[in-house]
Amino acid sequence: MQIHELQPNHKMKNKKRIGRGGKRGTYSGRGIKGQKARAGRKLEPITKNIIKKIPKLRGSSNRLIQKKSNEFTKIINLSLLEKTFEPKDIVSPKTLLKKEIIEKIKGKIPKVKILADGEITKPLYIQGCEVSKMAREKILKVGGKID
């Protein structure tokens, strides 16, 4: 037996033709008048209305990109640096990755910002990190350097 020789076991059922009189009445389940009762009706697609409502101002898509840029910054406090680093160590995003303080985000090393929460007693060299005003004062007071 081949594919072109296959046949169904049951008889084919005729498709109902609605809206042409017959046993279902003159309207045949379509109601009276209106767009939905007509043959070949054309209703407006819902997606078209949604697209019309979306704002089409210049730069509207740019706002989303600005919000997502904040996801790639990690915040670290001075108290954490005091615990993990020795005096005169270099603090950079790469060294923080090696010590597993921060993790890569989508395969990229995140930006790091150092805040002044906690105290610091060791002089540290900070490279490639953003530093807040208070943290900068505390680091320089102890004898550290910021690049």
Side-chain angles (χ1 to χ4, degrees):
M1 183 176 278
Q2 294 179 345
I3 291 174
H4 71 275
E5 294 173 339
L6 292 174
Q7 289 183 340
N9 290 335
H10 59 282
K11 291 183 180 179
M12 293 297 286
K13 194 174 183 182
N14 291 335
K15 188 181 175 186
K16 262 188 190 170
R17 298 179 74 207
I18 296 174
R20 285 167 181 81
K23 290 182 180 177
R24 284 186 143 240
T26 53
Y27 305 120
S28 305
R30 285 175 173 254
I32 303 172
K33 294 185 180 177
Q35 192 177 16
K36 291 183 179 178
R38 312 271 187 237
R41 67 180 188 198
K42 292 180 182 173
L43 293 173
E44 190 175 304
I46 298 168
T47 53
K48 195 173 187 182
N49 290 337
I50 294 168
I51 291 167
K52 282 181 184 177
K53 290 174 186 174
I54 294 171
K56 293 163 196 72
L57 301 171
R58 283 176 282 154
S60 60
S61 62
N62 193 21
R63 290 185 201 127
L64 297 172
I65 297 166
Q66 289 173 352
K67 285 180 184 176
K68 286 185 180 179
S69 65
N70 293 339
E71 293 175 11
F72 295 107
T73 51
K74 289 289 179 183
I75 294 169
I76 294 172
N77 291 315
L78 285 177
S79 57
L80 187 64
L81 296 180
E82 179 71 26
K83 290 177 190 173
T84 52
F85 287 94
E86 297 298 318
K88 297 186 180 178
D89 274 356
I90 296 170
V91 178
S92 67
K94 288 182 182 179
T95 55
L96 292 168
L97 252 178
K98 285 179 186 174
K99 295 203 176 197
E100 297 179 358
I101 296 169
I102 60 171
E103 295 176 352
K104 285 186 177 183
I105 300 171
K106 296 181 182 177
K108 294 182 180 179
I109 299 172
K111 292 179 183 177
V112 176
K113 183 159 187 178
I114 298 169
L115 301 181
D117 189 28
E119 293 298 322
I120 189 165
T121 57
K122 304 169 188 175
L124 298 172
Y125 300 120
I126 295 168
Q127 295 176 340
C129 298
E130 294 177 23
V131 184
S132 69
K133 282 185 182 178
M134 289 294 294
R136 183 179 295 272
E137 288 174 13
K138 287 182 179 181
I139 292 165
L140 294 175
K141 198 176 195 181
V142 177
K145 291 182 182 177
I146 299 169
D147 290 335

